[in-house]
Amino acid sequence: PPGKKVLIVYAHQEPKSLNGSLKRVAVEELSKQGCSVTVSDLYAMQFEPRATRNDIVGCLHNSEEFNYGVETWEAYKRGSLSSDVVEEQKKVQEADLLIFQFPLYWFSMPAIMKGWMDRVLVQGFAHEFPNCYDSGLLKNKLALFSFTTGGTKEMYTKGSISGDIRYLLWPMQHGIMHFCGVKVLAPHICFAPEYVSEEKRKEMLIAWAERLKTLWKEKPINCSSEWYFK
């Protein structure tokens, strides 16, 4: 609906890739609905994935022994996180919906996107014990993981060699997003795009555009471990 804000965190090196096209389709479709869409193109930004001392501007809270979690929490409170992190936090803060668009690497997200999670979702900003899971600091936001796989759909079923695709979503959807209070929409998965026809890839893009048309009517998934492991 008009006025909704969307942040697409996108991790692919090639704009002409299926991931690039999925990102473009999302920008077009959501803009058409009157949403304002922001894209963090991590490779193009040369986003720094490493969590280091450089993320804190100025003096450390404890210069004797470096503890990244404590230091970034303190830096967040006094407004001295590095500008690239602050920039991303602003985008997250404003967004109603976060879409993560990426190719699955080793049953997980690419390092550059994991680094985004590591550096942006700071304590004090995204969570602050006991304010996590349903009371996480980013509640009232939605997230959706949209990704491509190398393996076929059959390879990611319960009885198969790779196990259910949902097992892989537990650390991403539950351990990160739900931990921060974000409600999660069903993932959007394009299985094995490299091994299908051009025609089939076009169908994948059309299916994504179709889903986006009614996305705001969707109910989030059930956040319990049951969704993943039953």
Side-chain angles (χ1 to χ4, degrees):
K4 290 278 193 195
K5 290 196 160 85
V6 182
L7 171 61
I8 302 175
V9 182
Y10 162 68
H12 200 287
Q13 311 85 334
E14 175 50 68
K16 296 194 202 86
S17 63
L18 186 71
N19 274 278
S21 301
L22 288 159
K23 183 258 299 172
R24 197 183 60 249
V25 164
V27 172
E28 285 166 8
E29 183 50 50
L30 292 163
S31 302
K32 219 184 282 172
Q33 296 174 20
C35 301
S36 77
V37 185
T38 305
V39 178
S40 286
D41 180 341
L42 301 180
Y43 286 104
M45 292 155 67
Q46 302 197 344
F47 187 79
E48 167 61 84
R50 295 168 301 182
T52 68
R53 159 73 180 90
N54 298 339
D55 293 348
I56 298 98
V57 178
C59 299
L60 290 175
H61 176 69
N62 173 3
S63 52
E64 295 302 298
E65 195 178 326
F66 185 71
N67 178 320
Y68 185 82
V70 170
E71 291 298 343
T72 50
W73 181 24
E74 292 296 335
Y76 176 74
K77 288 189 283 195
R78 49 169 209 271
S80 57
L81 283 169
S82 66
S83 59
D84 60 340
V85 173
V86 172
E87 196 55 36
E88 296 306 298
Q89 288 178 341
K90 276 200 197 106
K91 297 177 194 174
V92 170
Q93 198 64 68
E94 289 177 1
D96 299 296
L97 167 66
L98 309 167
I99 295 176
F100 297 95
Q101 181 65 59
F102 59 98
L104 195 69
Y105 279 11
W106 295 116
F107 277 26
S108 187
M109 59 188 92
I112 200 165
M113 184 176 280
K114 177 57 164 56
W116 185 95
M117 306 281 181
D118 292 350
R119 295 180 63 228
V120 175
L121 303 174
V122 168
Q123 183 168 358
F125 169 69
H127 58 91
E128 189 144 24
F129 193 81
N131 294 321
C132 43
Y133 290 116
D134 291 341
S135 59
L137 304 180
L138 302 180
K139 52 183 183 292
N140 308 327
K141 297 186 188 301
L142 292 168
L144 192 165
F145 287 83
S146 171
F147 60 95
T148 58
T149 68
T152 60
K153 195 169 184 172
E154 295 68 50
M155 287 166 84
Y156 286 106
T157 51
K158 241 198 193 82
S160 73
I161 184 84
S162 300
D164 195 320
I165 193 80
R166 291 184 176 198
Y167 302 158
L168 318 188
L169 288 161
W170 172 254
M172 300 190 244
Q173 293 186 165
H174 183 79
I176 305 175
M177 285 295 118
H178 183 204
F179 187 84
C180 297
V182 180
K183 291 183 179 60
V184 180
L185 295 173
H188 198 85
I189 309 166
C190 293
F191 287 98
E194 285 174 87
Y195 304 107
V196 301
S197 64
E198 194 51 47
E199 202 44 52
K200 276 266 182 293
R201 281 197 290 274
K202 284 211 177 80
E203 282 168 25
M204 288 175 174
L205 294 176
I206 292 164
W208 179 223
E210 280 308 302
R211 179 176 175 194
L212 288 163
K213 284 187 170 63
T214 55
L215 194 71
W216 301 101
K217 296 195 175 85
E218 291 186 17
K219 291 265 171 287
I221 65 164
N222 154 18
C223 279
S224 72
S225 60
E226 218 171 286
W227 187 89
Y228 300 89
F229 302 110
K230 66 168 185 287

